[in-house]
Every structure is written in C-alpha cells, then in structure tokens.
Amino acid sequence: MIVSTAWPDHALAALRDAGLRSGGARRAVVAHLARHDCCRSAQEIHDGVRAEGGTVGIASVYRVLDTLVALRLVQRVELGDGVARFEPSTSDGHHHHHVVCDGCGKVEPFSDNALEHALEGVAGRLGFAMDAHEVVVRGACDTCRA
Amino acid sequence: MIVSTAWPDHALAALRDAGLRSGGARRAVVAHLARHDCCRSAQEIHDGVRAEGGTVGIASVYRVLDTLVALRLVQRVELGDGVARFEPSTSDGHHHHHVVCDGCGKVEPFSDNALEHALEGVAGRLGFAMDAHEVVVRGACDTCRA
DNA sequence: ACCAAGACGAGAGTCGTTATCATCTCTCGC
DNA sequence: GCGAGAGATGATAACGACTCTCGTCTTGGT
C-alpha cells in the first residue's frame, strides 16, 4: 500500500520516455498525487494544487490524468458516486482495492492475495488477458454499525 | 446467472410490501429489466419502454431504479464509462460480476465461488458488514487478442 | 536566441443524472 | 362505486462531472 517515495521521479521519467514534455501541470499533478496516495478526484487535485499556489486549469488536470492512466502510472477508481478518482499505481504490480462505508462514506484500502488469485483464475477461465480489475466492497464499518 | 422467471412478480410484491403503490412506470421498468437481465442503462430502459409503446419519463426511470436499488431488487453496476447500469438481483444471493473487453467493449457476466469467499474473508478481516460488492475485470477478449 | 511542436488555461459545450412542480392516478375509507 | 388525499408520474429546468476548442505560452532542439 505504501507508494514508493520514488514514484514521482518514476512517473516523470516515464512521461519523458514516452516522448512527452515536462510541463507545469504534469509536474504539479504528479507531485500532488504522490502526496495523497489514495483516491483523489480530479476536483480535489485541482483544488489542492491551487491551494499550494499553482495555477492549473481543471482541463489540464483531466488531460494529465488521462495521460498517466494511459501509461499505467495512475489507476482510475470508481466508487459508485459518479466521480472518478485516481491514485498512483505502484510499479511492482502490488495494488489495492477499496471498502466504502455506506453510513459515513469512509473509504479504506485493502489488498488480499486470495482475491487476486481468484480474479486471475476467472480471467483465465474466460479466455481474457486481464490487464486491470477493480473491486469495490460496500457495507457498514464497525463504528457505523454500533 | 439465470434470473428467476418469478423476478418481476417478486419485485412488484416487494414494492407493495414496502408500502409503495403500483404505478405504470414501476411496472414498465420492472418488466423491461426482467426481459434484459444484464447491464441496462437508464437510457436503454427508457428507450426500450418507449419503443414498446410506453410513455415513461426519463426522470421516472431514474426514480424507479433508485427505489429498486434501495430495496435491493436491482443492482447498480458501473463499468467505468460514466454510465450507471442496472440489472435484477436474484433473491437467492447468487449474483454475477462482469468482464469488459477494452478492445471491442464486449461485456460478459461471470460468477466465481473463490472470488466470493475471498471477498467475505476481506470484509470480516476489516470489520465490515459487507452488503454489496462490485467487481469489474478489464482486459482483451480472445478475439480481440488474436 | 529562434522556432516549431507541444502543453497549457479559460471557458463553452456535452451528457448523465437529479430536482422541481403541476398534473394525474392509485388506494383506502365510506 | 365514489371522493379525497397521499403518492406517483412526466416534462423541463438545473446541476455537476467531464470534454472540446482555441488562442497563448512553454519546452527543447537547433
């Protein structure tokens, strides 16, 4: 779950390797994502960067996120509230999923090997070359249930 | 995967049990869902009902779907394209998930016991009372890969 | 420093979804 | 069956997330 501290460098290097230039918006979005490694919406990123003095446009945020997703540097996450969220994807293939509490809206990450194995089995059985998957568990957290 | 042929009756009965009335829009949406048991968007339902001579408003479709989801008669599914889809949820607890082909957009349902067990294990470990979960597998189907 | 390609920001536009409100209809008590 | 009121419906306006467009600015190579 820990995003390597080298992630922003890795991401910027990958952008360059892809033949893309280094612009202010890209740097700002990458830096912001690196500081908040779980589930940031485009709006949150936009506001966050602005709060730190940057002047990125919301369009640029979406553009940068699009690029990062295409390069598999960022994973898009949909929690069912109509807002796409984004988080850095680690290069070592280790990733996590999310539980959402219907009561308080709290989001918590988790990872589970049995789950990953089951998904690989399913993909193989169906003749799919799985290159991504998303799991969202919904329920009531212990405090909301009390 | 097979939706019981009794689903529409079950759904209408559940609506009544919840103290709700039987209006034309509810019957039309339930009937349409029963005929297409996998992944229908609100727009598709609206168009489908209209094509059959009904006169439901799009607002009513969303309202009815909202009600059905709240009563757990219908499951909301997000495949990542910004459109919410809906399908009947069987009363016996048996449900399915979806694989989406990034190449041709084909959607296929699947179900897997190991996956369900893994999810239950995760929820228990986190202290969550899981009452729903959604899994989307993304990849290339065998024809798109060839 | 110059220049072309590319990146950027602002704002308009698109589209799925939700809220509003006046009208209609179902259900219950008579 | 009938009337009344609560609830359901449909058209439309409003909303919000996201995308497109376009003119300007920056980057990186020369």
Side-chain angles (χ1 to χ4, degrees), chain A residues 19-44:
Chain A
L20 301 170
R21 291 184 189 168
S22 158
R26 296 216 173 109
R27 277 192 300 271
V29 170
V30 167
H32 185 91
L33 281 173
R35 266 195 303 281
H36 305 87
D37 65 335
C38 186
C39 283
R40 303 289 289 174
S41 70
Q43 196 64 56
E44 284 170 338

Side-chain angles (χ1 to χ4, degrees), chain B residues 41-56:
Chain B
S41 71
Q43 197 64 57
E44 285 170 338
I45 295 168
H46 181 242
D47 294 349
V49 170
R50 293 237 160 182
E52 291 152 14
T55 56
V56 285

Side-chain angles (χ1 to χ4, degrees), chain B residues 31-87:
Chain B
H32 185 91
L33 280 174
R35 267 195 302 282
H36 305 86
D37 65 334
C38 186
C39 282
R40 304 288 290 174
S41 71
Q43 197 64 57
E44 285 170 338
I45 295 168
H46 181 242
D47 294 349
V49 170
R50 293 237 160 182
E52 291 152 14
T55 56
V56 285
I58 186 71
S60 294
V61 172
Y62 280 108
R63 247 186 317 237
V64 171
L65 288 171
D66 235 32
T67 305
L68 292 171
V69 169
L71 291 176
R72 299 178 179 288
L73 296 164
V74 160
Q75 190 176 2
R76 176 191 297 256
V77 176
E78 313 244 2
L79 298 182
D81 60 349
V83 183
R85 290 158 192 281
F86 302 86
E87 58 190 29

Side-chain angles (χ1 to χ4, degrees), chain B residues 8-144:
Chain B
D9 293 337
H10 167 61
L12 292 175
L15 285 168
R16 177 160 318 173
D17 290 351
L20 302 170
R21 289 185 191 169
S22 160
R26 295 213 173 112
R27 279 191 299 269
V29 170
V30 167
H32 185 91
L33 280 174
R35 267 195 302 282
H36 305 86
D37 65 334
C38 186
C39 282
R40 304 288 290 174
S41 71
Q43 197 64 57
E44 285 170 338
I45 295 168
H46 181 242
D47 294 349
V49 170
R50 293 237 160 182
E52 291 152 14
T55 56
V56 285
I58 186 71
S60 294
V61 172
Y62 280 108
R63 247 186 317 237
V64 171
L65 288 171
D66 235 32
T67 305
L68 292 171
V69 169
L71 291 176
R72 299 178 179 288
L73 296 164
V74 160
Q75 190 176 2
R76 176 191 297 256
V77 176
E78 313 244 2
L79 298 182
D81 60 349
V83 183
R85 290 158 192 281
F86 302 86
E87 58 190 29
S89 68
T90 56
S91 47
D92 59 4
H94 185 87
H95 59 273
H96 64 259
H97 301 292
H98 303 89
V99 273
V100 182
C101 174
D102 285 327
C104 59
K106 185 172 63 178
V107 176
E108 263 183 58
F110 71 86
S111 56
D112 188 87
N113 279 331
L115 176 60
E116 302 298 326
H117 278 120
L119 285 168
E120 278 162 25
V122 166
R125 177 153 54 82
L126 295 171
F128 261 72
M130 175 168 70
D131 55 38
H133 58 267
E134 197 176 317
V135 177
V136 177
V137 174
R138 207 169 291 279
C141 69
D142 44 10
T143 55
C144 279

